[in-house]
Amino acid sequence: MPCISLSVTAGIYHRRRRDLSRVLLSIQSPLKHQVEILDWETKKQLCFLDKVEPNATIREIRLMFHKLYPRWYPARQSIKLDPKGKSLRDEEILQHLPVGTTATLYFKDLGPQIGWTTVFLIEYTGPLFIYFLFYFRMTFVYGLDERFTSSPHPVVNLACICHSFHYIKRLIETVFVHRFSRGTMPLRKIVKNCFYYWGFAAWLAYYINHPLYTPPSYGKKQINFAVIMFLLCEAGNFSIHVALSDLRRNGSKTRKIPYPTKNPFTWLFFFVSCPNYTYEVGTWISFTIMTQCVPVGLFTLLCFIQMTIWAKDKHCTYLREFKDYPSHRTPIIPFLL
């Protein structure tokens, strides 16, 4: 009898051990997800992805979708939880989204894309060369009169140097400094962007280099003050771009809170969320003072309006994503805006 009792006990033990192993296995191997992707407008099913890992990222889902539809490469895809909602980020994980084991996602075609590096190179190279057409007084611009072949005002030469320096700096930053959280933008927008940068460059250059241009009212004092302000703002803008780039040194696309570094130009982070825009506006204000030209002033005003919109948007994003974000910071102007 004791032997029978021991054998029965041993059998129960082994069965329970097997049952426990199955439970642990099920915990370690979570259920696969099913992902249905619909067209965001027609709600027509485009594909059904079976046995998707729960820890799959949106980027991986884009790649799966791309295999089924080669013409829609990942950068061209907008994947959403709701047809009218925001696009999901590449790093978002399927099991962390508010969906069950069967997820319904919506696809929108963003159209042909172009890389941001290419975009910036095109946008910034144009103003650099367009300005020279007016600076060198090309005959088809101002005419053949010999009086129009050169300018007697040194500030015109200085303005050309500063304008060229600004866009050469931007080109260098594009190649060696900037790290983009989004790799591309719609190709159709490049025309609008180039019209803005190239058009304003031509407008400014036409008046600054015009034969009838008059120098600033306060002469060298005004020009020297503007040059010092210009160089400080350019140095500040470059320093902020380097600091922001260092936050993504390892190729990470995760957003982090930017803080001041040992570089004094970055101390503006104590007060504003986007000091790169603050310095950029300062650069164009100094260029306006230097040239005392109305078109430059109007361009500066438009820059300020646009950069304020961008700064407010980024500031709100920081507040939304980081509960410990410094509450005393303002978007672009310390204590005011």
Side-chain angles (χ1 to χ4, degrees):
M1 290 295 291
C3 292
I4 296 174
S5 177
L6 287 173
S7 63
V8 170
T9 303
I12 294 173
Y13 170 75
H14 287 300
R15 282 198 300 272
R16 289 182 176 177
R17 189 174 179 179
R18 285 197 302 271
D19 292 342
L20 181 60
S21 298
R22 290 186 187 127
V23 171
L24 291 174
L25 185 62
S26 66
I27 293 173
Q28 294 172 357
S29 305
L31 292 173
K32 305 284 187 180
H33 282 54
Q34 296 175 326
V35 178
E36 179 187 35
I37 299 182
L38 310 180
D39 182 272
W40 76 288
E41 280 187 316
T42 64
K43 309 301 184 294
K44 177 183 176 182
Q45 186 186 84
L46 298 175
C47 73
F48 188 85
L49 305 175
D50 196 17
K51 297 182 180 179
V52 178
E53 294 291 341
N55 60 348
T57 63
I58 294 299
R59 174 172 176 75
E60 291 171 336
I61 292 174
R62 291 183 202 273
L63 293 172
M64 296 177 198
F65 186 73
H66 176 50
K67 288 181 180 179
L68 298 173
Y69 296 94
R71 67 190 180 96
W72 289 327
Y73 45 90
R76 188 168 175 165
Q77 302 172 23
S78 172
I79 302 295
K80 308 178 181 183
L81 282 173
D82 182 85
K84 296 181 180 179
K86 291 185 176 181
S87 296
L88 296 170
R89 299 190 303 272
D90 280 349
E91 62 272 17
E92 293 192 70
I93 299 173
L94 184 60
Q95 65 182 355
H96 295 163
L97 298 175
V99 296
T101 53
T102 301
T104 299
L105 301 177
Y106 296 89
F107 161 79
K108 179 181 180 180
D109 180 17
L110 297 176
Q113 301 289 299
I114 182 172
W116 275 108
T117 299
T118 305
V119 169
F120 282 179
L121 291 176
I122 294 172
E123 288 178 355
Y124 300 154
T125 302
L128 187 63
F129 289 101
I130 288 172
Y131 195 97
F132 287 137
L133 295 177
F134 297 90
Y135 174 73
F136 289 115
R137 302 288 179 88
M138 305 302 288
T139 56
F140 63 85
V141 178
Y142 298 116
L144 298 173
D145 194 319
E146 291 184 0
R147 295 173 300 167
F148 295 171
T149 57
S150 63
S151 174
H153 307 302
V155 68
V156 173
N157 301 325
L158 187 59
C160 180
I161 292 171
C162 290
H163 188 274
S164 301
F165 175 81
H166 177 72
Y167 282 101
I168 289 173
K169 179 186 79 73
R170 283 192 169 189
L171 290 170
I172 292 172
E173 288 175 339
T174 298
V175 177
F176 299 106
V177 178
H178 289 320
R179 302 180 194 277
F180 304 103
S181 58
R182 295 181 180 179
T184 64
M185 83 165 202
L187 182 61
R188 63 181 180 276
K189 290 186 178 181
I190 190 67
V191 177
K192 179 186 70 175
N193 290 14
C194 286
F195 180 79
Y196 173 79
Y197 284 104
W198 296 17
F200 266 110
W203 193 36
L204 306 183
Y206 177 81
Y207 285 99
I208 295 173
N209 297 285
H210 197 281
L212 301 180
Y213 169 78
T214 54
S217 303
Y218 296 96
K220 289 185 177 180
K221 291 183 179 180
Q222 181 174 338
I223 295 170
N224 292 339
F225 170 78
V227 170
I228 293 172
M229 181 180 175
F230 177 88
L231 293 175
L232 289 174
C233 288
E234 288 286 4
N237 183 262
F238 179 77
S239 299
I240 298 300
H241 286 159
V242 171
L244 292 173
S245 178
D246 287 343
L247 294 177
R248 295 175 175 173
R249 184 174 294 176
N250 298 323
S252 171
K253 293 186 178 181
T254 304
R255 194 188 303 273
K256 300 176 184 178
I257 300 177
Y259 288 104
T261 66
K262 294 180 180 179
N263 183 343
F265 287 109
T266 66
W267 294 352
L268 200 53
F269 271 125
F270 283 121
F271 309 105
V272 297
S273 296
C274 303
N276 52 323
Y277 295 151
T278 309
Y279 283 123
E280 180 75 11
V281 172
T283 295
W284 287 108
I285 289 175
S286 66
F287 196 68
T288 303
I289 296 171
M290 182 192 306
T291 58
Q292 196 171 298
C293 186
V294 173
V296 181
L298 292 175
F299 177 67
T300 302
L301 178 61
L302 289 178
C303 283
F304 173 68
I305 293 171
Q306 181 60 71
M307 290 182 189
T308 299
I309 294 171
W310 290 339
K312 284 185 174 181
D313 183 58
K314 288 188 177 183
H315 182 72
C316 290
T317 301
Y318 282 134
L319 292 174
R320 184 172 62 251
E321 294 188 1
F322 302 104
K323 294 181 180 179
D324 58 340
Y325 190 74
S327 58
H328 57 274
R329 289 187 187 179
T330 54
I332 189 170
I333 300 179
F335 312 115
L336 294 176
L337 183 64

